[in-house]
Short mmCIF file of all heavy atoms in Angstrom, two decimals:
data_model
loop_
_atom_site.label_atom_id
_atom_site.label_comp_id
_atom_site.label_asym_id
_atom_site.label_seq_id
_atom_site.Cartn_x
_atom_site.Cartn_y
_atom_site.Cartn_z
N ILE A 142 -107.85 157.44 101.64
CA ILE A 142 -107.32 156.68 102.79
C ILE A 142 -107.38 157.44 104.07
O ILE A 142 -107.81 156.99 105.10
CB ILE A 142 -105.91 156.21 102.45
CG1 ILE A 142 -105.96 155.23 101.21
CG2 ILE A 142 -105.30 155.42 103.68
CD1 ILE A 142 -104.53 154.96 100.69
N ALA A 143 -106.90 158.74 103.96
CA ALA A 143 -106.89 159.61 105.16
C ALA A 143 -108.29 159.94 105.65
O ALA A 143 -108.58 159.87 106.87
CB ALA A 143 -106.11 160.86 104.85
N GLN A 144 -109.15 160.16 104.72
CA GLN A 144 -110.56 160.51 105.13
C GLN A 144 -111.24 159.24 105.79
O GLN A 144 -111.95 159.42 106.76
CB GLN A 144 -111.41 160.97 103.94
CG GLN A 144 -110.99 162.34 103.47
CD GLN A 144 -111.63 162.78 102.15
OE1 GLN A 144 -111.96 161.87 101.33
NE2 GLN A 144 -111.81 164.04 101.96
N ASP A 145 -110.97 158.08 105.25
CA ASP A 145 -111.61 156.90 105.80
C ASP A 145 -111.12 156.61 107.26
O ASP A 145 -111.76 156.05 108.05
CB ASP A 145 -111.28 155.73 104.94
CG ASP A 145 -112.06 155.68 103.62
OD1 ASP A 145 -112.99 156.52 103.52
OD2 ASP A 145 -111.66 154.85 102.73
N ALA A 146 -109.92 157.12 107.56
CA ALA A 146 -109.40 156.95 108.88
C ALA A 146 -109.61 158.13 109.79
O ALA A 146 -109.14 158.15 110.92
CB ALA A 146 -107.82 156.70 108.78
N ASP A 147 -110.48 159.06 109.36
CA ASP A 147 -110.71 160.26 110.11
C ASP A 147 -109.39 161.01 110.44
O ASP A 147 -109.30 161.62 111.56
CB ASP A 147 -111.49 160.03 111.39
CG ASP A 147 -112.99 159.56 111.04
OD1 ASP A 147 -113.45 160.08 109.99
OD2 ASP A 147 -113.48 158.76 111.77
N ASP A 148 -108.42 161.03 109.53
CA ASP A 148 -107.18 161.72 109.78
C ASP A 148 -107.21 163.05 109.08
O ASP A 148 -106.87 163.23 107.95
CB ASP A 148 -106.03 160.89 109.20
CG ASP A 148 -104.64 161.53 109.37
OD1 ASP A 148 -104.64 162.68 109.88
OD2 ASP A 148 -103.65 160.91 108.85
N GLU A 149 -107.81 164.03 109.78
CA GLU A 149 -107.97 165.34 109.20
C GLU A 149 -106.61 166.03 108.90
O GLU A 149 -106.53 166.76 107.91
CB GLU A 149 -108.78 166.24 110.19
CG GLU A 149 -109.06 167.57 109.67
CD GLU A 149 -109.90 167.62 108.37
OE1 GLU A 149 -110.77 166.73 108.18
OE2 GLU A 149 -109.69 168.49 107.52
N SER A 150 -105.60 165.79 109.66
CA SER A 150 -104.28 166.37 109.43
C SER A 150 -103.69 166.04 108.09
O SER A 150 -103.29 166.80 107.26
CB SER A 150 -103.33 166.04 110.57
OG SER A 150 -103.79 166.59 111.79
N SER A 151 -103.73 164.71 107.77
CA SER A 151 -103.26 164.15 106.52
C SER A 151 -104.12 164.63 105.41
O SER A 151 -103.69 164.99 104.30
CB SER A 151 -103.11 162.64 106.59
OG SER A 151 -102.09 162.28 107.48
N ALA A 152 -105.50 164.55 105.59
CA ALA A 152 -106.44 164.90 104.57
C ALA A 152 -106.28 166.37 104.22
O ALA A 152 -106.33 166.78 103.05
CB ALA A 152 -107.77 164.70 105.00
N SER A 153 -106.05 167.27 105.22
CA SER A 153 -105.85 168.66 104.92
C SER A 153 -104.58 168.92 104.10
O SER A 153 -104.52 169.72 103.15
CB SER A 153 -105.75 169.44 106.25
OG SER A 153 -105.50 170.78 106.05
N LEU A 154 -103.47 168.28 104.55
CA LEU A 154 -102.22 168.44 103.83
C LEU A 154 -102.43 167.93 102.37
O LEU A 154 -101.96 168.63 101.41
CB LEU A 154 -101.11 167.51 104.49
CG LEU A 154 -99.78 167.42 103.78
CD1 LEU A 154 -99.08 168.76 103.62
CD2 LEU A 154 -98.95 166.42 104.42
N VAL A 155 -103.08 166.72 102.15
CA VAL A 155 -103.22 166.26 100.84
C VAL A 155 -104.11 167.22 100.01
O VAL A 155 -103.88 167.42 98.80
CB VAL A 155 -103.67 164.84 100.87
CG1 VAL A 155 -104.00 164.31 99.49
CG2 VAL A 155 -102.69 163.91 101.45
N GLY A 156 -105.19 167.64 100.63
CA GLY A 156 -106.10 168.59 99.96
C GLY A 156 -105.35 169.83 99.48
O GLY A 156 -105.62 170.31 98.35
N ASP A 157 -104.47 170.35 100.34
CA ASP A 157 -103.76 171.56 99.94
C ASP A 157 -102.81 171.19 98.74
O ASP A 157 -102.70 172.04 97.82
CB ASP A 157 -102.89 172.06 101.12
CG ASP A 157 -103.73 172.66 102.23
OD1 ASP A 157 -104.89 172.94 102.06
OD2 ASP A 157 -103.15 172.90 103.36
N ARG A 158 -102.25 170.05 98.73
CA ARG A 158 -101.40 169.65 97.63
C ARG A 158 -102.17 169.47 96.33
O ARG A 158 -101.73 169.83 95.22
CB ARG A 158 -100.69 168.32 97.91
CG ARG A 158 -99.69 168.33 99.06
CD ARG A 158 -98.76 169.47 99.11
NE ARG A 158 -98.00 169.58 97.86
CZ ARG A 158 -97.54 170.75 97.37
NH1 ARG A 158 -97.69 171.83 98.08
NH2 ARG A 158 -96.92 170.81 96.18
N LEU A 159 -103.43 168.98 96.46
CA LEU A 159 -104.31 168.88 95.25
C LEU A 159 -104.57 170.25 94.64
O LEU A 159 -104.49 170.39 93.37
CB LEU A 159 -105.68 168.28 95.60
CG LEU A 159 -105.67 166.73 95.83
CD1 LEU A 159 -106.94 166.29 96.47
CD2 LEU A 159 -105.57 166.13 94.47
N VAL A 160 -104.78 171.28 95.45
CA VAL A 160 -105.02 172.58 94.91
C VAL A 160 -103.83 173.13 94.18
O VAL A 160 -103.96 173.62 93.08
CB VAL A 160 -105.43 173.59 96.05
CG1 VAL A 160 -105.42 175.01 95.60
CG2 VAL A 160 -106.78 173.25 96.68
N VAL A 161 -102.70 172.93 94.74
CA VAL A 161 -101.41 173.42 94.07
C VAL A 161 -101.17 172.76 92.74
O VAL A 161 -100.91 173.37 91.75
CB VAL A 161 -100.15 173.25 95.06
CG1 VAL A 161 -98.96 173.43 94.26
CG2 VAL A 161 -100.35 174.06 96.30
N HIS A 162 -101.30 171.37 92.79
CA HIS A 162 -100.91 170.61 91.53
C HIS A 162 -101.99 170.76 90.42
O HIS A 162 -101.69 170.92 89.26
CB HIS A 162 -100.69 169.24 91.88
CG HIS A 162 -99.43 169.01 92.71
ND1 HIS A 162 -98.18 169.15 92.18
CD2 HIS A 162 -99.30 168.67 93.99
CE1 HIS A 162 -97.30 168.93 93.13
NE2 HIS A 162 -98.00 168.62 94.24
N GLU A 163 -103.24 170.91 90.81
CA GLU A 163 -104.26 171.13 89.81
C GLU A 163 -104.07 172.53 89.17
O GLU A 163 -104.18 172.64 87.93
CB GLU A 163 -105.70 170.96 90.39
CG GLU A 163 -106.05 169.54 90.72
CD GLU A 163 -107.38 169.37 91.44
OE1 GLU A 163 -107.89 170.35 92.05
OE2 GLU A 163 -107.83 168.28 91.44
N LYS A 164 -103.85 173.53 90.04
CA LYS A 164 -103.66 174.93 89.47
C LYS A 164 -102.43 174.98 88.62
O LYS A 164 -102.43 175.55 87.59
CB LYS A 164 -103.57 175.88 90.65
CG LYS A 164 -103.49 177.37 90.24
CD LYS A 164 -103.49 178.22 91.41
CE LYS A 164 -103.36 179.69 90.91
NZ LYS A 164 -103.41 180.63 92.03
N THR A 165 -101.37 174.30 89.04
CA THR A 165 -100.02 174.37 88.35
C THR A 165 -100.23 173.64 86.97
O THR A 165 -99.80 174.20 85.93
CB THR A 165 -98.94 173.76 89.10
OG1 THR A 165 -98.85 174.45 90.35
CG2 THR A 165 -97.63 173.87 88.38
N ALA A 166 -100.93 172.56 86.90
CA ALA A 166 -101.14 171.80 85.71
C ALA A 166 -102.00 172.68 84.74
O ALA A 166 -101.74 172.78 83.54
CB ALA A 166 -101.89 170.47 85.96
#
Side-chain angles (χ1 to χ4, degrees):
I142 296 166
Q144 289 172 332
D145 289 347
D147 292 325
D148 179 0
E149 183 60 36
S150 297
S151 295
S153 176
L154 171 65
V155 173
D157 290 346
R158 298 310 310 152
L159 280 167
V160 171
V161 169
H162 292 288
E163 289 175 343
K164 183 176 180 179
T165 303

